[in-house]
Amino acid sequence: MHEDRRANRKRRRTKVPLWRWRSNPIRRRDDVLEAWLVLAIWVLIAVGGTVAGLVTAHATDQVFAQQRTERIAVPAVVLDDVPRTATAIGRDLASTKVRWTTSDGATHSGMTLLTTGRKAGSTVRIWIDAQGKLTTQPPTPTKAAVEAGLFGFSAALALSGVVFGIGSAGRWYLDRRRIRQWASEWTLVGPQWGHQNS
């Protein structure tokens, strides 16, 4: 019984790691191609995914930093009462008209989202861009860092998925080609094998 277990363990150990890289009589050109393909896939996932993630995160963080530089908060006057009724936009938000003055003295008006219940004539803080147009509040440095990290992770994941998909398609093609080669070779060898056994 112990000898059977040892024999089974020995059989399990006979599997040669990285056999496609080693010279052996059953290795084919497609096996070598597959070995290089698998290596390329993992290198591109590890290196390419990391680079794509870092570049995307850095670019996103720069965009947010530029927004914080260009966008400024200014006081604005609410022109219409903001109804207290709930809206489809948000639980406590409703669209209303406001008026503001830019640093050059020009007066502008536009629609923005405000919390419900505000009265006409009250003052609120809004965000405008370099041209004095209404815009959204830029993300804080902490929020920007989190969002940049998420964008970077998504980019790395997307690239890894594409590379893995292309690699899987390549391996599938090599498998189909090997099967066709084995089938054609068997049509030559099979009849001789059967003839020797009869």
Side-chain angles (χ1 to χ4, degrees):
M1 184 114 174
H2 290 299
E3 288 175 10
D4 289 342
R5 284 183 189 165
R6 279 190 210 131
N8 285 338
R9 282 185 199 145
K10 242 182 190 177
R11 267 188 235 124
R12 284 185 207 139
R13 283 193 215 123
T14 55
K15 188 176 179 183
V16 179
L18 303 173
W19 69 270
R20 288 180 177 91
W21 294 96
R22 299 177 183 209
S23 180
N24 64 68
I26 63 167
R27 187 187 70 175
R28 298 172 183 238
R29 193 171 65 99
D30 286 352
D31 298 326
V32 177
L33 284 173
E34 185 178 14
W36 282 108
L37 180 64
V38 169
L39 179 65
I41 290 168
W42 289 113
V43 167
L44 282 172
I45 287 174
V47 177
T50 302
V51 170
L54 290 173
V55 167
T56 303
H58 180 68
T60 306
D61 196 46
Q62 281 188 323
V63 169
F64 289 147
Q66 188 175 356
Q67 287 178 359
R68 285 194 298 274
T69 304
E70 292 176 349
R71 298 178 184 183
I72 56 169
V74 294
V77 177
V78 179
L79 299 180
D80 301 315
D81 288 344
V82 184
R84 287 191 176 275
T85 56
T87 64
I89 297 169
R91 186 189 297 170
D92 298 322
L93 294 175
S95 182
T96 191
K97 196 170 187 180
V98 293
R99 183 180 63 236
W100 67 95
T101 305
T102 55
S103 57
D104 61 0
T107 302
H108 302 271
S109 62
M111 301 296 288
T112 190
L113 291 175
L114 294 176
T115 51
T116 56
R118 291 205 178 256
K119 297 287 184 188
S122 62
T123 303
V124 293
R125 189 176 78 153
I126 61 166
W127 290 86
I128 59 172
D129 60 18
Q131 288 76 42
K133 295 177 182 174
L134 271 172
T135 187
T136 56
Q137 179 179 352
T140 63
T142 303
K143 190 176 177 183
V146 171
E147 287 188 30
L150 287 174
F151 275 112
F153 179 74
S154 300
L157 202 61
L159 179 70
S160 299
V162 169
V163 169
F164 188 79
I166 292 170
S168 296
R171 292 187 73 189
W172 177 85
Y173 171 76
L174 289 173
D175 282 342
R176 299 286 79 82
R177 198 160 82 166
R178 276 191 292 254
I179 290 168
R180 283 194 304 269
Q181 287 172 352
W182 290 333
S184 64
E185 288 173 8
W186 182 250
T187 57
L188 298 173
V189 175
Q192 296 171 11
W193 189 316
H195 178 69
Q196 287 174 359
N197 288 339
S198 57

